[in-house]
């Protein structure tokens, strides 16, 4: 009806049509306020209600315990690469797991702040798997253990959380946020840039255990202090009101379909369509070890760069967008986040199957 494409982008990514329709309907006049949410003061009662509801719905959706703060912060997931070590390194030491491009970036920033121990890495096979984290060498005075729980570029996800041996776990969930139920208490902090699986770019959601928020870090630039955001209800300065509003819509939508266990069921079913095809194909193959395949990002190759380019061109011609793989992996990558309908994946598989038949 809207002539929309199946957008397989790794991010910013698709949003659900019912959510976009609601946003459209409220664009010119949000519920009798006479203005668009983009035009609203963040100090107004009407916006405060939007923000409060968004937080309450997210808490319900994820089952976030009361002793965790939910913060809406700007600067994307990237700013967290710096904020985390600046705020959480008490002893100046943290363990990082190097499982791909995004954890590598986080490691590089943390090294500017303190000592980083890379306790496990999957670099030896271009990050095609998640390293074994069942018995890591973790010094006693380590402040936290850091993972990127879903590596967007390489298409891996942790089949099981690391054994942190009692240390705090910090997870970048940007490309898997709200894709499945998680036990928030397993983490000291979860954070996610919202433009992969939730809403518009430019905001991160940080869920952080209250006792980890320090108020003695007054030498840090104010925006870098979690306490500044926590003490001011994520409104120390003007927040990304538009993103908070859109994310709130998505939270309500997810609650309406049955929450994260239903979302997870759909994601498993959807990803299976593509993985089953890749496993049966003689032309295409997935690049990731089966036990740590991501439900969200699916990289695959033909084995020939020339053929890969031909496939990408064929997908474009057929009206599928953004399937070219990241240059560090090559081939193709289908990002099939929450908002990608199963029909989109089925249509892609039909195209790939035809391509294979025509290119024997
Ligand atoms: C996209 C992404 C980031 C970076 O997000 P920005 O909002 O662009 O800073 C960080 N981590 C992961 C896992 C990502 O997928």
């Amino acid at each position: 009806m809207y002539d929309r494409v199946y957008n397989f982008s790794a991010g910013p990514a698709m949003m659900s049509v019912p959510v976009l329709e609601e946003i459209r309907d409220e664009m010119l006049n949000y519920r009798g306020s006479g203005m668009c949410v983009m035009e609203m003061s963040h100090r107004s009662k009407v916006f405060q209600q939007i923000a409060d509801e968004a937080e309450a719905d997210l808490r319900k959706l994820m089952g976030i315990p009361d002793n965790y703060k939910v913060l809406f912060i700007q600067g994307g997931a990237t700013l967290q690469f710096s904020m985390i070590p600046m705020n959480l390194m008490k002893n100046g030491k943290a363990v990082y797991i190097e499982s791909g491009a995004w954890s590598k970036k986080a490691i590089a920033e943390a090294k500017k702040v303190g000592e980083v121990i890379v306790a496990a890495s999957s670099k030896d096979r271009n990050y095609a798997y998640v390293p074994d984290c069942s018995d890591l060498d973790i010094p006693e005075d380590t402040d936290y253990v850091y993972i990127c729980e879903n590596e967007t570029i390489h298409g891996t996800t942790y089949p099981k959380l690391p054994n942190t041996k009692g240390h705090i776990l910090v997870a970048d969930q940007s490309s898997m946020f709200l894709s499945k139920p998680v036990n928030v208490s397993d983490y000291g902090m979860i954070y996610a840039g919202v433009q992969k699986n939730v809403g518009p770019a430019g905001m991160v959601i940080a869920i952080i255990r209250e006792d980890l928020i320090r108020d003695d870090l007054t030498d840090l630039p104010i925006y870098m202090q979690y306490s500044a955001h926590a003490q001011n209800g994520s409104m120390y300065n003007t927040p990304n009101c538009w993103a908070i509003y859109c994310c709130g819509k998505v939270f309500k939508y997810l609650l309406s379909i049955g929450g994260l266990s239903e979302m997870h069921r759909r994601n498993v079913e959807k990803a299976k369509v593509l993985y089953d095809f890749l496993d049966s194909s003689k032309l295409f193959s997935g690049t990731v070890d089966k036990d740590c395949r991501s439900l969200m990002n699916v990289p695959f190759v033909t084995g020939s760069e020339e053929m890969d380019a031909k496939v990408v061109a064929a997908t474009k011609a057929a009206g599928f967008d953004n399937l070219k793989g990241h240059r560090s992996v090559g081939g193709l990558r289908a990002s099939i986040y929450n908002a990608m309908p199963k029909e989109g994946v089925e249509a892609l598989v039909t195209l790939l199957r035809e391509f294979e038949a025509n290119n024997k």
Side-chain angles (χ1 to χ4, degrees):
M1 169 164 71
Y2 299 113
D3 210 13
R4 285 167 59 79
V5 297
Y6 288 124
N7 178 7
F8 290 90
S9 170
M14 283 183 85
M15 290 175 65
S16 300
V17 169
V19 167
L20 292 174
E21 285 176 330
E22 256 188 54
I23 291 168
R24 174 200 61 194
D25 291 346
E26 292 174 345
M27 183 69 77
L28 276 296
N29 184 346
Y30 176 80
R31 301 189 184 175
S33 66
M35 56 180 93
C36 175
V37 175
M38 281 188 267
E39 304 169 294
M40 248 172 221
S41 164
H42 58 297
R43 307 282 179 209
S44 65
K45 237 170 109 178
V46 56
F47 184 75
Q48 187 64 55
Q49 194 184 346
I50 290 172
D52 290 346
E53 256 181 57
E55 180 177 337
D57 286 338
L58 180 65
R59 284 185 176 277
K60 200 187 299 173
L61 205 50
M62 293 182 71
I64 300 173
D66 289 343
N67 62 328
Y68 284 73
K69 287 274 188 210
V70 173
L71 306 177
F72 302 112
I73 308 173
Q74 297 177 65
T78 299
L79 189 68
Q80 296 308 306
F81 298 164
S82 307
M83 277 181 86
I84 288 163
M86 284 174 158
N87 284 270
L88 302 188
M89 276 190 182
K90 266 188 176 164
N91 302 322
K93 191 182 287 185
V95 162
Y96 278 66
I97 311 302
E98 186 191 47
S99 60
W102 290 112
S103 44
K104 253 169 71 178
K105 284 197 167 168
I107 288 167
E109 291 311 300
K111 279 183 175 167
K112 296 176 184 171
V113 181
E115 187 187 342
V116 171
I117 298 155
V118 177
S121 169
S122 50
K123 191 177 177 183
D124 60 333
R125 285 201 285 122
N126 195 28
Y127 309 109
Y129 65 103
V130 171
D132 178 11
C133 297
S134 57
D135 186 20
L136 299 167
D137 204 352
I138 304 174
E140 210 34 63
D141 58 347
T142 297
D143 291 310
Y144 58 88
V145 176
Y146 180 102
I147 60 169
C148 173
E149 201 169 335
N150 187 87
E151 283 280 4
T152 322
I153 290 174
H154 308 277
T156 60
T157 202
Y158 280 70
K160 194 165 164 268
L161 292 178
N163 176 2
T164 65
K165 301 182 176 170
H167 292 85
I168 291 155
L169 180 64
V170 175
D172 176 357
Q173 288 197 343
S174 294
S175 48
M176 60 170 283
F177 195 57
L178 305 181
S179 67
K180 64 169 195 180
V182 295
N183 184 17
V184 175
S185 312
D186 290 344
Y187 305 80
M189 175 177 167
I190 293 171
Y191 75 97
V194 299
Q195 76 275 24
K196 309 287 163 70
N197 221 358
V198 196
M203 187 172 82
V204 75
I205 295 177
I207 301 162
I208 178 169
R209 218 173 66 201
E210 264 165 6
D211 61 290
L212 300 176
I213 300 175
R214 293 166 59 183
D215 49 20
D216 61 336
L217 295 170
T218 44
D219 284 346
L220 280 186
I222 185 76
Y223 205 79
M224 305 300 279
Q225 301 174 28
Y226 288 125
S227 58
H229 299 280
Q231 285 163 14
N232 293 282
S234 297
M235 294 192 200
Y236 171 76
N237 70 332
T238 319
N240 187 337
C241 300
W242 181 248
I244 293 171
Y245 163 72
C246 295
C247 289
K249 292 278 184 214
V250 174
F251 303 154
K252 280 202 194 303
Y253 178 72
L254 291 172
L255 286 168
S256 79
I257 66 163
L260 298 187
S261 48
E262 171 59 16
M263 194 64 247
H264 185 228
R265 190 193 66 73
R266 292 184 192 188
N267 284 330
V268 168
E269 192 179 86
K270 191 168 74 184
K272 188 174 185 306
V273 174
L274 184 49
Y275 282 124
D276 281 353
F277 166 72
L278 293 175
D279 290 342
S280 69
S281 167
K282 291 196 167 59
L283 178 62
F284 300 102
S285 52
T287 60
V288 170
D289 289 5
K290 280 188 183 169
D291 66 328
C292 36
R293 282 171 161 178
S294 168
L295 292 180
M296 301 280 104
N297 312 98
V298 185
F300 54 100
V301 294
T302 63
S304 137
E305 271 181 42
E306 208 185 322
M307 188 64 91
D308 287 344
K310 255 179 92 175
V311 190
V312 173
T315 59
K316 257 212 161 66
F320 303 119
D321 230 1
N322 293 312
L323 276 152
K324 193 174 186 311
H326 191 271
R327 60 189 181 283
S328 61
V329 180
L332 294 90
R333 172 177 48 164
S335 292
I336 50 174
Y337 297 120
N338 284 359
M340 169 63 70
K342 189 178 172 198
E343 297 78 59
V345 179
E346 286 168 343
L348 174 65
V349 165
T350 301
L351 177 99
L352 295 175
R353 195 173 276 130
E354 275 168 21
F355 184 93
E356 182 168 353
N358 296 333
N359 286 273
K360 271 203 174 122

